Amino acid sequence: MRNIKVISVSFLLLYPLFTLAQSSKKKIEKRPVYEFQMDIPCYVDSLQAELTYPLSRQNNSQLPLDEWKEKARQQVRTCMMTPPKRTDFNPQVVATEQRKGYKAMKIAFNVNAYSRIVAYVLVPDGKGPFPAIQLLHDHGAHLLIGKEKMIKPFDEDTLIINDANRWADQLYEGQFIGDELAQRGYVVIATDAPMWGERGRKEGVDRNRYDIIAGNMMMLGRNLCAFMHYDDLAVTDFLKTLDKVDRKRMGCMGCSMGAYRAWMLAALSDDIHATAAVCWMTTTKAQLSLNNKRKENGGFANCIPGLRQWMDYPHIASLACPNAMLLINGKQDHLFSTEGALSAFGQMREVWRGEKVDDLLFTELWDIPHSCGKAVQMRVFNFFDEQLKKK
């Protein structure tokens, strides 16, 4: 009897694990008739055919560049819905750290009327003013860190340091882009996007909650993705207030979602004079396709309501013309096809060429996966040196 009791107790202890394993293998229920496949509508081709992009530069070539940009930017902002209220930055340096050739600072400031955030700011040793780069971190379905993906963390808790090092190894070949730029003589700033790092959930990190939170923001008449862009614009304005920054030599850079944020920022701000975007450029036709088995995985992180009725991705990025831009996509990138990248690059070249500044647009395909290794970073560094240091 004693053995039976032991077995019974053991089974009771293991039963929750057994039932969890069984539930995880639960067969997905399906109906023989359906309307969606691969997370996109089965009638995607019909919807694609209705997209005419009336505010693309190609459909407004008769307008002077400035008039087209003003008209198109207004529509982008309309689709971005109501912006967050702005208030005084009221900055406060909360920590400093001397690093090799530059000083690292944590600066708290009001990015909008609702959120006081902490930026990592790197300032080269010396008199200045210096050219400045705004770094936009990636998505990666990894939300525990944000700014720490781009700039080496301060001497804080081990969890964040270890996580940042692992992420740098995974996507950036073990190198923190911001620290490299600071050593090369640039003021650098990086902040967390909403839902990343110190702007996450009280309950903890859960990628699956992002879409629910975005939906709740929509219920409030706001758009979470747009808030990210509005905050990026506010950070640009904050960067201009720093004494060591040369306001006429400012650029931005990012990889993956950071690349998307970078060309969006350049499209909406005349203060960004040079932009480097790695592994995020395509067309809607190439990105949403049942035939090519392509879909957009970013979800609400790069979703602005109704915007595709007016412009496609390359049309929006072209609002950065006539400023300098470097776009790099990977031939091995599982998220963006070569076909989509080449089509987008061609449409953008038309715009820069039409303004006779095609020497300021660089579109490159590298034999790389979705990543930003040291060789790509060196290309970005040289691009910024050429565009922001030799003027």
Side-chain angles (χ1 to χ4, degrees):
M1 290 295 293
R2 181 179 180 185
N3 289 340
I4 293 175
K5 288 182 178 179
V6 171
I7 292 172
S8 299
V9 171
S10 298
F11 178 76
L12 289 172
L13 291 174
L14 292 173
Y15 181 73
L17 297 178
F18 173 77
T19 54
L20 181 62
Q22 288 296 104
S23 64
S24 66
K25 296 179 181 179
K26 183 180 178 181
K27 186 177 180 180
I28 297 175
E29 296 177 332
K30 293 194 248 183
R31 295 285 296 269
V33 179
Y34 55 87
E35 195 163 326
F36 296 86
Q37 181 182 352
M38 278 180 46
D39 302 328
I40 54 179
C42 293
Y43 44 87
V44 61
D45 290 340
S46 297
L47 295 183
Q48 294 268 23
E50 295 177 14
L51 297 177
T52 59
Y53 307 121
L55 281 181
S56 67
R57 181 58 174 158
Q58 285 79 357
N59 286 326
N60 292 268
S61 57
Q62 78 284 358
L63 291 179
L65 181 68
D66 288 346
E67 288 186 28
W68 166 68
K69 289 175 66 169
E70 182 179 358
K71 181 179 178 181
R73 280 178 174 175
Q74 180 58 50
Q75 186 58 57
V76 173
R77 290 178 181 271
T78 297
C79 291
M80 286 169 65
M81 304 173 69
T82 305
K85 291 182 179 179
R86 295 280 291 268
T87 187
D88 293 340
F89 292 126
N90 192 21
Q92 178 186 7
V93 177
V94 296
T96 62
E97 186 176 281
Q98 182 63 42
R99 299 179 181 177
K100 188 176 180 180
Y102 59 99
K103 181 169 68 173
M105 295 183 288
K106 285 184 183 182
I107 302 181
F109 71 99
N110 300 319
V111 73
N112 55 47
Y114 324 115
S115 303
R116 185 167 178 81
I117 68 173
V118 173
Y120 281 2
V121 178
L122 308 180
V123 180
D125 296 340
K127 182 179 180 181
F130 303 101
I133 303 296
Q134 184 173 338
L135 292 178
L136 298 312
H137 67 73
D138 58 74
H139 187 307
H142 188 74
L143 283 64
L144 180 64
I145 55 175
K147 59 187 177 296
E148 298 88 356
K149 293 179 177 182
M150 309 304 291
I151 293 176
K152 181 180 177 182
F154 281 63
D155 187 14
E156 46 198 21
D157 70 83
T158 304
L159 173 67
I160 300 303
I161 294 173
N162 290 342
D163 194 59
N165 286 333
R166 281 193 299 269
W167 197 254
D169 289 340
Q170 177 177 323
L171 196 63
Y172 301 102
E173 209 171 327
Q175 188 160 264
F176 288 97
I177 294 177
D179 295 78
E180 291 296 318
L181 282 166
Q183 288 183 331
R184 295 176 70 95
Y186 293 89
V187 174
V188 183
I189 189 169
T191 58
D192 297 323
M195 279 295 290
W196 273 265
E198 295 174 296
R199 305 184 70 186
R201 299 168 66 244
K202 179 181 180 180
E203 297 84 358
V205 174
D206 185 346
R207 166 65 181 88
N208 294 326
R209 312 306 292 185
Y210 188 98
D211 294 345
I212 294 175
I213 290 172
N216 286 333
M217 289 284 284
M218 292 285 280
M219 295 292 187
L220 294 166
R222 308 299 177 95
N223 178 256
L224 186 57
C225 173
F227 263 46
M228 176 174 68
H229 297 311
Y230 282 125
D231 285 353
D232 289 343
L233 287 163
V235 173
T236 301
D237 289 341
F238 175 70
L239 183 60
K240 291 189 301 183
T241 69
L242 302 182
D243 292 339
K244 293 293 184 74
V245 169
D246 184 341
R247 297 175 58 172
K248 295 182 179 180
R249 295 188 294 159
M250 292 171 52
C252 67
M253 182 266 174
C255 173
S256 191
M257 184 186 77
Y260 162 73
R261 295 169 64 194
W263 55 254
M264 278 292 295
L265 177 59
L268 295 173
S269 174
D270 290 324
D271 292 314
I272 299 298
H273 302 288
T275 302
V278 179
C279 289
W280 209 122
M281 180 48 69
T282 188
T283 64
T284 299
K285 183 177 181 180
Q287 195 66 0
L288 296 175
S289 170
L290 289 175
N291 291 333
N292 296 327
K293 295 183 178 180
R294 289 277 172 181
K295 64 178 181 177
E296 175 54 50
N297 295 297
F300 281 101
N302 51 275
C303 177
I304 297 176
L307 186 51
R308 211 59 58 235
Q309 296 291 323
W310 301 96
M311 288 179 284
D312 202 357
Y313 304 120
H315 306 147
I316 301 167
S318 294
L319 289 167
C321 183
N323 290 319
M325 183 174 288
L326 166 66
L327 298 112
I328 297 175
N329 270 50
K331 294 179 181 178
Q332 303 175 41
D333 195 329
H334 66 290
L335 296 179
F336 301 100
S337 68
T338 297
E339 173 193 7
L342 289 176
S343 177
F345 290 169
Q347 293 177 53
M348 293 179 67
R349 277 196 297 270
E350 288 180 11
V351 179
W352 266 259
R353 188 181 301 120
E355 297 303 320
K356 297 181 173 53
V357 289
D358 46 315
D359 60 327
L360 294 179
L361 179 67
F362 305 86
T363 57
E364 302 175 6
L365 274 175
W366 287 46
D367 192 18
I368 58 172
H370 195 75
S371 62
C372 186
K374 291 182 179 179
V376 173
Q377 292 176 44
M378 184 56 66
R379 174 70 180 97
V380 170
F381 298 156
N382 290 337
F383 164 75
F384 282 138
D385 287 349
E386 184 67 30
Q387 300 301 324
L388 299 178
K389 283 188 174 180
K390 296 183 179 180
K391 293 184 182 275

